[in-house]
Amino acid sequence: MFFLGATDQRVSVVNDAGVEVYHAELRNLVAVITHLRGHIRAVCIASPAGQIDPNLLSVLEGQLKLDPAFQSLQTMPFSPGLDARLLALAALVAATTVGHSNKEKKGQDKKTKKGRR
């Protein structure tokens, strides 16, 4: 699986181990998403203005939701100079945290049900 981070200038792709496997200019974001379709798990996008175009986000989220592996799309403000690789790692952490919290909840539910019987 791959995790993408994008700033207003760069896009970065990291793998499950958090190792950057690709980086490019932001104008290549569509090509990256197209080529990695089916393998993208999370995306984190940041803007120095603090807000990202809602139309862009809705189109991006709509396309990514067609991918069964896709889990989350995050947006955040950032200060100038923030690296896209850090955003890709933030996407990795967010996707990993979501997966573990769901597993823990399911495990706790099973324990509770067994204790009630």
Side-chain angles (χ1 to χ4, degrees):
M1 287 296 130
F2 295 105
F3 306 86
L4 277 64
T7 65
D8 60 335
Q9 298 176 0
R10 306 283 297 161
V11 61
S12 183
V13 179
V14 298
N15 61 14
D16 289 349
V19 176
E20 184 178 41
V21 294
Y22 183 76
H23 65 274
E25 294 180 7
L26 181 65
R27 63 187 170 111
N28 295 327
L29 178 62
V30 174
V32 170
I33 290 173
T34 301
H35 289 355
L36 295 179
R37 186 166 299 251
H39 303 287
I40 298 172
R41 190 163 168 201
V43 177
C44 184
I45 299 176
S47 168
Q51 194 160 19
I52 299 167
D53 181 20
N55 294 329
L56 168 73
L57 288 177
S58 65
V59 169
L60 183 61
E61 189 170 26
Q63 288 299 310
L64 289 170
K65 283 188 175 182
L66 297 174
D67 181 359
F70 179 71
Q71 277 188 319
S72 71
L73 172 65
Q74 294 179 295
T75 61
M76 64 177 64
F78 76 95
S79 60
L82 184 67
D83 190 28
R85 184 176 5 184
L86 180 61
L87 294 171
L89 292 173
L92 169 66
V93 170
T96 305
T97 305
V98 168
H100 284 295
S101 64
N102 286 342
K103 288 178 185 175
E104 289 174 6
K105 287 180 183 176
K106 288 178 184 175
Q108 288 174 356
D109 290 344
K110 289 179 183 177
K111 289 179 186 176
T112 316
K113 287 179 183 176
K114 287 181 181 176
R116 291 181 186 169
R117 290 183 184 175

